[in-house]
Amino acid sequence: MSDDKPRVVLTGAAGKLGRVVLRDLLDHDYRVLALDQVPPPGLVEGDDAQFVRIDLTDHGAVTEAVAGRTEERGGPFAGVVHLGAIPAPGLAPNGVTFRNNATATWNVFDAARAAGVRNVVWASSETVLGLPFEAAPPPYAPLDEEYRVRPESTYSLVKSLEEEMAQHFCRWEPSLTMTGLRFSNVMHVEDYARFPSFDHDPALRKWNLWGYVDARDGAQAVRLALQRRGPGVEVCIVANADTVMSRSSASLMAEVFPGVEVRRELGEHETLLSIDKARRVLGYEPRHSWRDHV
């Protein structure tokens, strides 16, 4: 590994988003300690990456890894990116999801603080906005970060608690910079072939206001968050600039959520998960769209 490149810890490096984040960081001259339970696909000889198998609920193992004690000359790290988790509701019993995700995140936050790492980026979730919008409609559109979180699942509840944890970690350690990225539904290019099928029934994707994020744009947001300066916590919605639908965003809201306030005039396919804060705070600008591939 080249010592003149910044080195970061990446948990969940083999996941749907993590593998793309890993490649993006390597392509932008970072060295990466990749943590997961299985090796990330796509690593090749010569990559500035080290894979370490880990159980993120093991506090001692996480503390050692973030302190650089995976090799005799490991660390220090310029930042920690925490993506590792049971990635959605319904994949495990609720108690398992809570125990795994809450413990893993506390372990990572605590290990970063103990090791003196001052920049932590982690995956929050669009679900804290009140998804899925089946039982209760959104409070308004486009959604933003200005209203109190509304978790509707144990998975989302943990994400809400992670955001609260970050507030207190930064209160305890005022030099910390912590950025929570409320990722929308992560998609790869191969997922886009089915998007046109959503048009026949707008209710199919109303659960998240027809949002998505291309994994490459999600990786961009992670990298920009690692570059954020200034202490304290920021949470940002990270979605693509458009929806998954061919129909206009205004017509979708009028048909499916006629009683919900639309707070401004909408662009033709404008996302209903506002990315204005991510643009302002991170300099984020989506570069990809499913429309370029279908």
Side-chain angles (χ1 to χ4, degrees), residues 145-146 234-236 274-282:
E145 299 85 356
E146 298 305 312
E234 294 285 358
V235 294
C236 299
S274 173
I275 55 175
D276 290 349
K277 184 177 180 181
R279 284 170 162 150
R280 183 177 71 253
V281 171
L282 304 178

Side-chain angles (χ1 to χ4, degrees), residues 262-281:
V262 177
R263 291 191 162 180
R264 56 178 167 79
E265 186 175 349
L266 298 170
E268 180 70 8
H269 301 118
E270 181 181 346
T271 178
L272 295 158
L273 304 171
S274 173
I275 55 175
D276 290 349
K277 184 177 180 181
R279 284 170 162 150
R280 183 177 71 253
V281 171

Side-chain angles (χ1 to χ4, degrees), residues 18-33:
R19 67 189 69 175
V20 181
V21 170
L22 174 59
R23 179 50 52 190
D24 182 84
L25 290 172
L26 293 173
D27 288 346
H28 286 84
D29 293 325
Y30 284 88
R31 296 178 293 149
V32 181
L33 175 62

Side-chain angles (χ1 to χ4, degrees), residues 199-211:
D199 278 343
H200 81 277
D201 183 3
L204 288 173
R205 292 279 308 192
K206 75 174 189 178
W207 59 271
N208 78 334
L209 293 189
W210 308 281

Side-chain angles (χ1 to χ4, degrees), residues 1-293:
M1 287 191 179
S2 173
D3 290 338
D4 60 352
K5 298 178 180 179
R7 194 176 187 214
V8 299
V9 178
L10 171 63
T11 77
K16 187 172 186 178
L17 177 60
R19 67 189 69 175
V20 181
V21 170
L22 174 59
R23 179 50 52 190
D24 182 84
L25 290 172
L26 293 173
D27 288 346
H28 286 84
D29 293 325
Y30 284 88
R31 296 178 293 149
V32 181
L33 175 62
L35 304 180
D36 212 317
Q37 294 184 339
V38 296
L43 281 181
V44 298
E45 187 175 352
D47 281 335
D48 272 342
Q50 176 193 6
F51 166 66
V52 170
R53 195 180 308 274
I54 199 168
D55 175 0
L56 292 175
T57 67
D58 183 335
H59 180 261
V62 175
T63 299
E64 280 202 286
V66 176
R69 293 198 295 274
T70 59
E71 56 180 322
E72 299 313 311
R73 292 179 297 278
F77 295 101
V80 172
V81 178
H82 175 44
L83 307 180
I86 294 171
L91 300 180
N94 286 342
V96 174
T97 297
F98 187 94
R99 182 171 63 251
N100 183 87
N101 289 5
T103 302
T105 298
W106 185 85
N107 286 346
V108 172
F109 287 3
D110 185 65
R113 182 187 179 208
V117 180
R118 290 295 171 260
N119 197 328
V120 177
V121 180
W122 86 97
S124 186
S125 169
E126 64 181 358
T127 61
V128 302
L129 299 168
L131 281 63
F133 296 119
E134 304 290 350
Y140 53 81
L143 294 178
D144 56 28
E145 299 85 356
E146 298 305 312
Y147 65 96
R148 183 171 173 79
V149 295
R150 296 169 45 175
E152 297 290 348
S153 66
T154 296
Y155 169 83
S156 181
L157 177 62
V158 175
K159 291 299 182 184
S160 302
L161 294 175
E162 291 172 359
E163 293 187 3
E164 184 69 14
M165 274 198 285
Q167 295 288 342
H168 295 293
F169 269 86
C170 286
R171 180 171 59 85
W172 297 339
E173 200 72 55
S175 62
L176 272 173
T177 299
M178 301 187 75
T179 310
L181 302 177
R182 293 177 174 178
F183 290 112
S184 187
N185 192 195
V186 176
M187 296 290 180
H188 291 168
V189 170
E190 54 266 31
D191 297 320
Y192 294 147
R194 61 192 174 94
F195 276 31
S197 69
F198 300 146
D199 278 343
H200 81 277
D201 183 3
L204 288 173
R205 292 279 308 192
K206 75 174 189 178
W207 59 271
N208 78 334
L209 293 189
W210 308 281
Y212 77 107
V213 64
D214 187 290
R216 295 165 294 181
D217 286 317
Q220 176 206 159
V222 168
R223 177 166 37 84
L224 291 170
L226 279 171
Q227 298 166 7
R228 185 170 79 83
R229 296 295 177 263
V233 180
E234 294 285 358
V235 294
C236 299
I237 296 168
V238 177
N240 270 68
D242 59 346
T243 69
V244 302
M245 305 292 282
S246 298
R247 291 178 46 181
S248 74
S249 299
S251 72
L252 289 166
M253 288 300 299
E255 177 181 339
V256 181
F257 294 109
V260 171
E261 176 190 7
V262 177
R263 291 191 162 180
R264 56 178 167 79
E265 186 175 349
L266 298 170
E268 180 70 8
H269 301 118
E270 181 181 346
T271 178
L272 295 158
L273 304 171
S274 173
I275 55 175
D276 290 349
K277 184 177 180 181
R279 284 170 162 150
R280 183 177 71 253
V281 171
L282 304 178
Y284 170 72
E285 191 59 52
R287 298 173 182 168
H288 305 280
S289 170
W290 70 272
R291 299 167 211 277
D292 299 329
H293 299 279

